Amino acid sequence: MKASIMITCLGDLLFPDVGVAMVRLLRRLGVTVDFPQGQTCCGMPLFNSGYHHDAALVAARTVRLFEGAEHVVVPSGSCAWMVKEEYPGLLKDDPALKAQALALAKKTYELSQFLVGVLGVTSIDSSFKGRVTYHDSCHLLRGLGESQSPRALLRGVKGCEVLDLPGSDECCGFGGSFSVRLPEVSSAILDKKLANVESTGADCLVACDAGCLMQMGGGLSRRGSRVRAVHLAQILEPEAGA
Amino acid sequence: MSDRQLKTPFPERAHAALGDAHLQEALTIATTKFIDLRKEAFADFPAGEALRDRARAIKEATLQGLDKHLERLADNIERLGGHVHWAATGDEARDIILRLCRDKGVRMAVKSKSMATEEIELNEALEAAGVKPIETDLGEYIIQLAHEKPSHIIAPAIHKTKGQVAELFSKELGGRFAADPEVLTAVARKELRQKFLEADMGITGANFAVAETGTIVLVTNEGNGRMVTSLPRIHVAVMGMEKVIPTMTDLMVFLAILARSATGQKLSSYTTLVRGPRQPGETEGPEELHLILMDNGRTRQIAGTLREALYCLRCGACLNVCPVYRQIGGHAYGYTYPGPIGILLTAMLKGTGSVKDLAHASSLCGACKDVCPVRIDIPRMLVELREHIDSEKIAPWGERVVFGLARRAMSSPGLWRLGAKLGRIAQRPFVRSGRLRGLPLLFGKWTRTRDLPPVAARTFSERWKELERP
């Protein structure tokens, strides 16, 4: 089995440890991993802000980069959703590109969905000592319809106690440019989320989206919380440096 | 909302709402309750999902032949002795009602809750014409006393705590009333009873109008709608043209999901079916019935980008689950229709330019689409509105420059690497124990309340070389 990593902009620049954990994890599961060179961003920030012409240029580039991939694995649900749900529409004016986009959409997976849905993994031989709680990222939950795979994987980790997060399906307030266009509203939404997180007594807050982790992690460290925001891959592959 | 208030930019209106402790308390209690009630109602209703699909399909199909359905509705209402008025704009709708008031010597009008009449600011127009409008829905009555506008589509006074209502009643009605909903309801009931009997005209909206029978349908909970439509000698219903549905069977589909979505009820306490004015031999009901079919920007969207917004049943479910609405309430949006669907309806009624800020008042979390009884894809339409704002160059030039630069960097790995390097240098003065704080400019909007991870010493791309050799 072969998989190409789509690292995403935040994964590349801000959370490279997540990418490293993901590579080690996939290799441990027998996957041959490669990393197509020249990756930047999926273009979702442009798309969500309405710059669709610009987003289409970025989408066309990304589609070509991953043309030869067998599977594409993404550490963020929102970027996977962008590729799967929006690329074909963005590239609809060029039939050849659209066909490529549809092919890419079909073989692109968010990490937990790849592990459970494609590799058929139900439990990973990992250990993590601590209590964790899981936040459902909006695009993974409502966009890609996924709430079970990450939880199942967490429950399979030795020593890891999974606690329910009240309002786990409520937005963390990130929303891409929303977080800086309306910082006060974004932060007020975040405050509610973090109060719920702290009420669980967890040591770690787990999510499958770098955007949410940036928002929630940034809020947690600002309020001096002892809770750490980590990516699912960092629990499943803790050696990689969480 | 008055133009004066709209001159305050949206972020400032949101800021004020966030700082209003009463509003925060009221919003949290009410929206949480609505969310839970809706969830329970659909959990107990296995047919719900299929009915939602069917309702959506009915709306889609009805819009395809809207003119045909409207004509059939008008024919049937006229056959029953009612009058149908066609209003191309809100102004026209208002003028029709004012003319009726003048011609029929109307001095007082009782109203049941109606967003369509809010849309055309009917109360202000009636008052200016010397007609006294009396809101008879409890929530509407409260905000009329407070000289405010509704802040929720179905719960107009959702922004007020019971303590605030007790204070308002004590001040406006004279007396000392306890902050007890039962006491306060009894007070309003007593005040309103006489008005129903005195009023010359009853004004309502319409949740639906059934073309095949000429039936106007009102979905309410307090019984006031029934009195408004039966006691005064004239009944006027104001309805957006998209609210027509073909058959009574269709009505059953909508009724099964509307109250469940709105309040978690299986059915609302009252479902009022109005079929024509008082008929010969009948002893009750209004002598005259007028239905105003209002366009006001709707029909041009049948083939437009906001088409799906025409499916809206006005249940308010998308407001309750919206993280933004739950923080700022309805008034901060600044227009008649608040919340996620309100942004789309405002764009429909007032043009895209009016929502250049509001189009961004969403994290695109998708909770609205999830609960919408007719599955309106609100996030997608918000993104399309943003696209329109961008292509019409309504967006601020500074923003367009930033996104232009972002696109260049995203299109060129060389620039991307250079950006990472420059970021690492530029961020140095702001790193505090491995986190960025107190960043300037645009980034300051982030770091005022949140830390930011720094650009990594080595990006993933830079680390790949060593990862490549396992």
Side-chain angles (χ1 to χ4, degrees), chain B residues 33 120 156 158 186 192 197 229 236 269 283 302 324 360 394 438 456 462:
Chain B
K33 197 171 134 200
I120 60 174
I158 195 173
L192 287 170
L197 298 169
T229 54
V236 177
S269 307
T283 53
I302 291 176
V324 176
H360 292 281
I394 302 170
E462 287 160 348

PDB file of all heavy atoms in Angstrom, chain B residues 33 120 156 158 186 192 197 229 236 269 283 302 324 360 394 438 456 462:
ATOM      1  N   LYS B  33     -31.885  25.469  25.280  1.00  0.00           N
ATOM      2  CA  LYS B  33     -33.158  24.786  25.446  1.00  0.00           C
ATOM      3  C   LYS B  33     -33.737  24.382  24.078  1.00  0.00           C
ATOM      4  O   LYS B  33     -34.166  23.248  23.873  1.00  0.00           O
ATOM      5  CB  LYS B  33     -34.133  25.712  26.184  1.00  0.00           C
ATOM      6  CG  LYS B  33     -35.332  24.994  26.763  1.00  0.00           C
ATOM      7  CD  LYS B  33     -36.120  25.932  27.661  1.00  0.00           C
ATOM      8  CE  LYS B  33     -37.586  25.817  27.335  1.00  0.00           C
ATOM      9  NZ  LYS B  33     -38.376  26.958  27.767  1.00  0.00           N
ATOM     10  N   ILE B 120     -41.361  44.773   6.160  1.00  0.00           N
ATOM     11  CA  ILE B 120     -41.808  46.011   5.503  1.00  0.00           C
ATOM     12  C   ILE B 120     -42.030  47.132   6.524  1.00  0.00           C
ATOM     13  O   ILE B 120     -42.579  48.171   6.194  1.00  0.00           O
ATOM     14  CB  ILE B 120     -43.097  45.777   4.671  1.00  0.00           C
ATOM     15  CG1 ILE B 120     -44.238  45.279   5.560  1.00  0.00           C
ATOM     16  CG2 ILE B 120     -42.832  44.769   3.561  1.00  0.00           C
ATOM     17  CD1 ILE B 120     -45.575  45.165   4.828  1.00  0.00           C
ATOM     18  N   PRO B 156     -39.159  36.447  19.457  1.00  0.00           N
ATOM     19  CA  PRO B 156     -38.700  37.826  19.227  1.00  0.00           C
ATOM     20  C   PRO B 156     -38.036  38.480  20.439  1.00  0.00           C
ATOM     21  O   PRO B 156     -37.189  39.339  20.284  1.00  0.00           O
ATOM     22  CB  PRO B 156     -39.981  38.576  18.837  1.00  0.00           C
ATOM     23  CG  PRO B 156     -41.120  37.665  19.136  1.00  0.00           C
ATOM     24  CD  PRO B 156     -40.590  36.267  19.175  1.00  0.00           C
ATOM     25  N   ILE B 158     -36.235  36.884  22.735  1.00  0.00           N
ATOM     26  CA  ILE B 158     -35.282  35.902  23.276  1.00  0.00           C
ATOM     27  C   ILE B 158     -34.128  36.590  24.005  1.00  0.00           C
ATOM     28  O   ILE B 158     -33.492  36.006  24.875  1.00  0.00           O
ATOM     29  CB  ILE B 158     -34.742  35.013  22.121  1.00  0.00           C
ATOM     30  CG1 ILE B 158     -34.049  33.762  22.656  1.00  0.00           C
ATOM     31  CG2 ILE B 158     -33.830  35.776  21.212  1.00  0.00           C
ATOM     32  CD1 ILE B 158     -33.656  32.777  21.552  1.00  0.00           C
ATOM     33  N   ALA B 186     -50.182  36.510  32.380  1.00  0.00           N
ATOM     34  CA  ALA B 186     -51.534  36.898  32.784  1.00  0.00           C
ATOM     35  C   ALA B 186     -51.740  38.402  32.628  1.00  0.00           C
ATOM     36  O   ALA B 186     -52.812  38.860  32.213  1.00  0.00           O
ATOM     37  CB  ALA B 186     -51.790  36.460  34.230  1.00  0.00           C
ATOM     38  N   LEU B 192     -54.423  42.580  26.641  1.00  0.00           N
ATOM     39  CA  LEU B 192     -54.701  42.367  25.222  1.00  0.00           C
ATOM     40  C   LEU B 192     -56.156  42.022  24.941  1.00  0.00           C
ATOM     41  O   LEU B 192     -56.670  42.297  23.857  1.00  0.00           O
ATOM     42  CB  LEU B 192     -53.799  41.251  24.676  1.00  0.00           C
ATOM     43  CG  LEU B 192     -52.330  41.659  24.516  1.00  0.00           C
ATOM     44  CD1 LEU B 192     -51.465  40.442  24.217  1.00  0.00           C
ATOM     45  CD2 LEU B 192     -52.178  42.699  23.395  1.00  0.00           C
ATOM     46  N   LEU B 197     -61.122  42.875  20.971  1.00  0.00           N
ATOM     47  CA  LEU B 197     -62.524  43.224  20.751  1.00  0.00           C
ATOM     48  C   LEU B 197     -62.677  44.585  20.082  1.00  0.00           C
ATOM     49  O   LEU B 197     -63.602  44.817  19.322  1.00  0.00           O
ATOM     50  CB  LEU B 197     -63.274  43.193  22.085  1.00  0.00           C
ATOM     51  CG  LEU B 197     -63.300  41.806  22.753  1.00  0.00           C
ATOM     52  CD1 LEU B 197     -63.815  41.891  24.189  1.00  0.00           C
ATOM     53  CD2 LEU B 197     -64.143  40.831  21.938  1.00  0.00           C
ATOM     54  N   THR B 229     -57.434  36.507  13.608  1.00  0.00           N
ATOM     55  CA  THR B 229     -58.051  36.165  12.322  1.00  0.00           C
ATOM     56  C   THR B 229     -59.568  36.024  12.406  1.00  0.00           C
ATOM     57  O   THR B 229     -60.222  35.810  11.392  1.00  0.00           O
ATOM     58  CB  THR B 229     -57.484  34.838  11.775  1.00  0.00           C
ATOM     59  OG1 THR B 229     -57.632  33.831  12.772  1.00  0.00           O
ATOM     60  CG2 THR B 229     -56.028  34.960  11.411  1.00  0.00           C
ATOM     61  N   VAL B 236     -56.114  40.863   7.278  1.00  0.00           N
ATOM     62  CA  VAL B 236     -55.120  41.034   6.220  1.00  0.00           C
ATOM     63  C   VAL B 236     -53.947  40.108   6.511  1.00  0.00           C
ATOM     64  O   VAL B 236     -53.382  40.152   7.606  1.00  0.00           O
ATOM     65  CB  VAL B 236     -54.612  42.497   6.155  1.00  0.00           C
ATOM     66  CG1 VAL B 236     -53.523  42.631   5.089  1.00  0.00           C
ATOM     67  CG2 VAL B 236     -55.759  43.452   5.867  1.00  0.00           C
ATOM     68  N   SER B 269     -49.168  24.505  19.326  1.00  0.00           N
ATOM     69  CA  SER B 269     -50.442  24.414  20.056  1.00  0.00           C
ATOM     70  C   SER B 269     -51.631  24.732  19.157  1.00  0.00           C
ATOM     71  O   SER B 269     -52.701  24.174  19.296  1.00  0.00           O
ATOM     72  CB  SER B 269     -50.453  25.382  21.232  1.00  0.00           C
ATOM     73  OG  SER B 269     -49.304  25.171  22.012  1.00  0.00           O
ATOM     74  N   THR B 283     -71.717  32.704  11.542  1.00  0.00           N
ATOM     75  CA  THR B 283     -71.901  33.762  12.536  1.00  0.00           C
ATOM     76  C   THR B 283     -70.575  34.350  12.997  1.00  0.00           C
ATOM     77  O   THR B 283     -70.531  35.314  13.738  1.00  0.00           O
ATOM     78  CB  THR B 283     -72.646  33.208  13.755  1.00  0.00           C
ATOM     79  OG1 THR B 283     -71.948  32.048  14.220  1.00  0.00           O
ATOM     80  CG2 THR B 283     -74.076  32.833  13.393  1.00  0.00           C
ATOM     81  N   ILE B 302     -35.208  33.065  -7.876  1.00  0.00           N
ATOM     82  CA  ILE B 302     -35.586  31.690  -8.251  1.00  0.00           C
ATOM     83  C   ILE B 302     -34.498  31.098  -9.142  1.00  0.00           C
ATOM     84  O   ILE B 302     -34.170  29.921  -9.034  1.00  0.00           O
ATOM     85  CB  ILE B 302     -36.960  31.678  -8.967  1.00  0.00           C
ATOM     86  CG1 ILE B 302     -38.049  32.043  -7.962  1.00  0.00           C
ATOM     87  CG2 ILE B 302     -37.230  30.295  -9.578  1.00  0.00           C
ATOM     88  CD1 ILE B 302     -39.426  32.167  -8.560  1.00  0.00           C
ATOM     89  N   VAL B 324     -22.176  31.881  16.172  1.00  0.00           N
ATOM     90  CA  VAL B 324     -22.107  33.348  16.148  1.00  0.00           C
ATOM     91  C   VAL B 324     -23.390  33.936  16.731  1.00  0.00           C
ATOM     92  O   VAL B 324     -23.347  34.795  17.619  1.00  0.00           O
ATOM     93  CB  VAL B 324     -21.865  33.853  14.707  1.00  0.00           C
ATOM     94  CG1 VAL B 324     -21.897  35.376  14.662  1.00  0.00           C
ATOM     95  CG2 VAL B 324     -20.542  33.332  14.176  1.00  0.00           C
ATOM     96  N   HIS B 360     -19.378  37.492   6.355  1.00  0.00           N
ATOM     97  CA  HIS B 360     -18.252  36.861   7.056  1.00  0.00           C
ATOM     98  C   HIS B 360     -18.578  36.549   8.518  1.00  0.00           C
ATOM     99  O   HIS B 360     -17.706  36.117   9.266  1.00  0.00           O
ATOM    100  CB  HIS B 360     -17.015  37.753   6.969  1.00  0.00           C
ATOM    101  CG  HIS B 360     -16.465  37.849   5.575  1.00  0.00           C
ATOM    102  ND1 HIS B 360     -15.694  36.857   5.018  1.00  0.00           N
ATOM    103  CD2 HIS B 360     -16.625  38.784   4.601  1.00  0.00           C
ATOM    104  CE1 HIS B 360     -15.369  37.185   3.785  1.00  0.00           C
ATOM    105  NE2 HIS B 360     -15.933  38.349   3.502  1.00  0.00           N
ATOM    106  N   ILE B 394     -16.296  44.713  -3.878  1.00  0.00           N
ATOM    107  CA  ILE B 394     -16.880  45.393  -2.723  1.00  0.00           C
ATOM    108  C   ILE B 394     -15.962  45.207  -1.514  1.00  0.00           C
ATOM    109  O   ILE B 394     -15.939  46.007  -0.599  1.00  0.00           O
ATOM    110  CB  ILE B 394     -18.300  44.817  -2.419  1.00  0.00           C
ATOM    111  CG1 ILE B 394     -19.215  44.979  -3.639  1.00  0.00           C
ATOM    112  CG2 ILE B 394     -18.941  45.529  -1.221  1.00  0.00           C
ATOM    113  CD1 ILE B 394     -20.546  44.253  -3.542  1.00  0.00           C
ATOM    114  N   GLY B 438       1.602  38.997  21.303  1.00  0.00           N
ATOM    115  CA  GLY B 438       1.726  40.430  21.037  1.00  0.00           C
ATOM    116  C   GLY B 438       2.186  40.769  19.631  1.00  0.00           C
ATOM    117  O   GLY B 438       2.933  41.726  19.429  1.00  0.00           O
ATOM    118  N   ALA B 456       7.952  26.806  12.453  1.00  0.00           N
ATOM    119  CA  ALA B 456       8.879  25.822  13.007  1.00  0.00           C
ATOM    120  C   ALA B 456      10.318  26.091  12.556  1.00  0.00           C
ATOM    121  O   ALA B 456      10.545  26.613  11.458  1.00  0.00           O
ATOM    122  CB  ALA B 456       8.455  24.430  12.572  1.00  0.00           C
ATOM    123  N   GLU B 462      11.247  20.674   5.006  1.00  0.00           N
ATOM    124  CA  GLU B 462      12.686  20.663   5.255  1.00  0.00           C
ATOM    125  C   GLU B 462      13.127  19.398   5.999  1.00  0.00           C
ATOM    126  O   GLU B 462      14.260  18.968   5.893  1.00  0.00           O
ATOM    127  CB  GLU B 462      13.083  21.923   6.041  1.00  0.00           C
ATOM    128  CG  GLU B 462      13.041  23.178   5.172  1.00  0.00           C
ATOM    129  CD  GLU B 462      12.955  24.485   5.966  1.00  0.00           C
ATOM    130  OE1 GLU B 462      12.697  24.431   7.192  1.00  0.00           O
ATOM    131  OE2 GLU B 462      13.127  25.546   5.368  1.00  0.00           O
TER     132      GLU B 462
END
